[in-house]
Amino acid sequence: MERRELVKSMLLAAAGASVAGISSSAESSGEATSNSVGFDKLRPGSFKNDGAKTIKLSPEMFFNGRSLDSTNQSLTEVNMQIQRDSYDSFDKMLQQARVLSSNNIVEITLGGYYRVSKGNFELPSNCHIIGGGTVFLDNEESDQAVFKVENKQNFILKDITISSSKTTDLWGKTCNGIEIRGCSNFELSGLNISYRTDAISISDSSHFRVENCLVHKLGEEGIAIRACFSWLVFNNDIYEHNGDGILLKTSGSPSYDGKIICNRIFSATDAFGLKGTLGGGITLNDEKTGSSTTFSNLLVSGNSISNTSYGIAFTNIQNLKVVANDIDTVVRFGIIVDNALHNNPQQYPIKKTIVSGNTVKNTGQAGVAFFSANGIDVQNTIISDNILERCGLQESGDYPAISSTNATISANRISDSRTLLNAMDSIINANFFGSSLKKTAGENIADFKLGGSINFIGNIIENKGMGHIRLLDISNLVFIGNQVELSSSFSVFHLASAPSGAVLIKNNHIQSPATNVFTGMMTAAHMVDTDFSSFGNKVCLFGVPKYGEFKAGDRAIQRCPEPGMPSEWVCIESGSPGIWSIEKFANISCRSTPQKINLAPSEKAIIKSVALGAKSGWAINSLGCSLPLMQASLNASLDEDGVVTITVRNIGDAHLNVEKVIFNVVINRGY
């Protein structure tokens, strides 16, 4: 009664405007035209069709009394319209529409407020319902839809408000706003539907559009599409719903070519259906009974989901694209493959998925998760260019920002999440990983969980959280060219089990306060191929460090050293910053000018060459010449600063005569 009084007040405030669209009445001229037909011409069999026409109807044409005059009506007359039971008028109108629609387009205008005591109004083919008015189903029945369409085609429902007096205990019932089955070539547009189980329920249908609708205050789904193909759901608002925002099912029938684009799903509730079950986002499942078919070719793009139970979840699907969606503040997960057996009891695999360009923030559980489990195999997934922030906020679990099996994970930005990555048999490259939410360090505190065959290349990790990199059940690992900054005092790498294949860890820049950069099954360390810049050691790239914790074996490199000066160091005693020993020096190379060598046997020649930066007594690493001097001995020394002395002696029995020979000397400071 409160809702009816509210609607009544709104209509009274807009007296005259609420039925301004009503142009036909019982007082019409009765002349049939190509665009309309009078009330007295609508008796079954009385209309002769000489060609397809658009015939206009409205409920007012079937009222027992005169229709309301929108230009001169009293508040009493408006109140009469609100209180009138329009069921009989609707029933007669649709009976006539069914007669006329076989060869014509029937256009029904609903421009006023229509209270109906019963529903289940069946629409024929070729019926276009438009208006701007309201249909209010005033009963408490749980088995009545407002409009039902079965095995029809070419119909439209546009710009209509549908509501109901039944506002509670809607869960599990079949009182839908619009129920469509076995239809094709239709459009639902600009509808405002509330207070039903499903606002829009479509099954076994094809070639349709649902767009620009408001669906809210629902016991279950906003838009449910079961066993359908070739359809579009575009630019709808779904909110205050108890069930899924948009629900898909295959139901054992051909299901393919769907598009869910630019919808807004928000502010879910449990007020109208099953208590304690908050409404969700977008999903495909085949609960309990399963399916004999697989959904193929689905695009989910540009949707916004917030303040719901979950974001986006699919199972039993191939060729899925989830692109440029925005998910914020969901109790459970962001974007996942649903590997629960009760939603996919046949264990159909999930293949060929692209998850790209999405923003996922503030999730209680996983951010993006596409991993095999429960016998449901996930294959060929690309997870790229996504932004994930504050994922896995539930402290009761260790949910990752990204979780994958058989995936390529590229160019994502992940930060401020419980766990940053959980990957099995995946390629991970060019991602940025910020901080995790881990507060303490230890063997069981991992921010990266890698297993199977992993390629982890060219990633940046700037983690202020306390987790490390765990290697578990590794079959092959390539960990190359990464910039790794961890804050865990426990370890950088923890080998939780012996690898069954090769492990290659090279050319990484690693910074960590951990005393033991590598921990775990040290008996398997011989299986790890590494260099000084990674496994077990940290590397500083700008000379000997002045700050930080280092241990024996850590390395320091000067990228641009002065000629002849130290270029690499090794830490020989742990500390802050430890004690360092010079390992290598930068070489100085000098070349002589072209020389003419003309020497008799046992004769020698002295050649001077400039060596800028070299000091007297430095070591000569190598001496070579541009032409072969088979019967000569060569020697070089640094007897004075900046000058190399080269001695050439003829040790053969014949005369040595060579022109334009150039000598090259490599000098090093040495020890």
Side-chain angles (χ1 to χ4, degrees), residues 328-508:
D328 190 356
T329 312
V330 292
V331 175
R332 297 163 64 199
F333 46 79
I335 302 172
I336 70 162
V337 60
D338 185 350
N339 46 35
L341 279 178
H342 65 271
N343 283 334
N344 184 1
Q346 275 76 26
Q347 299 176 310
Y348 289 116
I350 289 83
K351 301 179 180 179
K352 301 177 184 177
T353 301
I354 296 176
V355 180
S356 182
N358 303 282
T359 299
V360 180
K361 299 189 297 184
N362 299 309
T363 68
Q365 299 176 2
V368 173
F370 280 75
F371 63 92
S372 302
N374 302 318
I376 299 172
D377 194 18
V378 180
Q379 306 171 10
N380 300 325
T381 304
I382 295 176
I383 302 171
S384 67
D385 301 290
N386 301 287
I387 296 175
L388 297 103
E389 299 176 358
R390 292 180 56 75
C391 297
L393 297 179
Q394 290 181 8
E395 295 186 2
S396 58
D398 193 12
Y399 296 102
I402 293 181
S403 182
S404 72
T405 305
N406 299 314
T408 298
I409 302 171
S410 179
N412 302 282
R413 296 189 68 86
I414 302 103
S415 61
D416 301 316
S417 298
R418 180 72 55 195
T419 295
L420 300 175
L421 176 67
N422 186 353
M424 174 74 70
D425 296 320
S426 295
I427 299 169
I428 303 136
N429 67 282
N431 301 281
F432 173 83
F433 297 94
S435 294
S436 77
L437 300 178
K438 302 292 174 60
K439 304 296 185 184
T440 59
E443 180 175 342
N444 297 321
I445 310 298
D447 281 333
F448 296 85
K449 302 174 182 179
L450 307 180
S453 179
I454 294 289
N455 280 264
F456 196 97
I457 301 172
N459 300 283
I460 297 175
I461 300 173
E462 295 181 0
N463 184 10
K464 300 298 190 294
M466 291 298 167
H468 57 269
I469 301 170
R470 178 185 300 166
L471 308 179
L472 176 64
D473 298 328
I474 287 290
S475 57
N476 288 286
L477 172 66
V478 176
F479 195 97
I480 292 178
N482 302 286
Q483 179 178 313
V484 180
E485 180 181 345
L486 296 177
S487 300
S488 172
S489 58
F490 170 71
S491 182
V492 175
F493 298 100
H494 180 68
L495 191 59
S497 62
S500 59
V503 175
L504 178 63
I505 305 176
K506 284 183 177 291
N507 301 326
N508 302 287

Side-chain angles (χ1 to χ4, degrees), residues 311-334:
I312 296 172
F314 297 105
T315 191
N316 186 21
I317 191 166
Q318 298 184 28
N319 299 314
L320 166 67
K321 294 182 178 65
V322 183
V323 180
N325 300 282
D326 190 351
I327 300 173
D328 190 356
T329 312
V330 292
V331 175
R332 297 163 64 199
F333 46 79

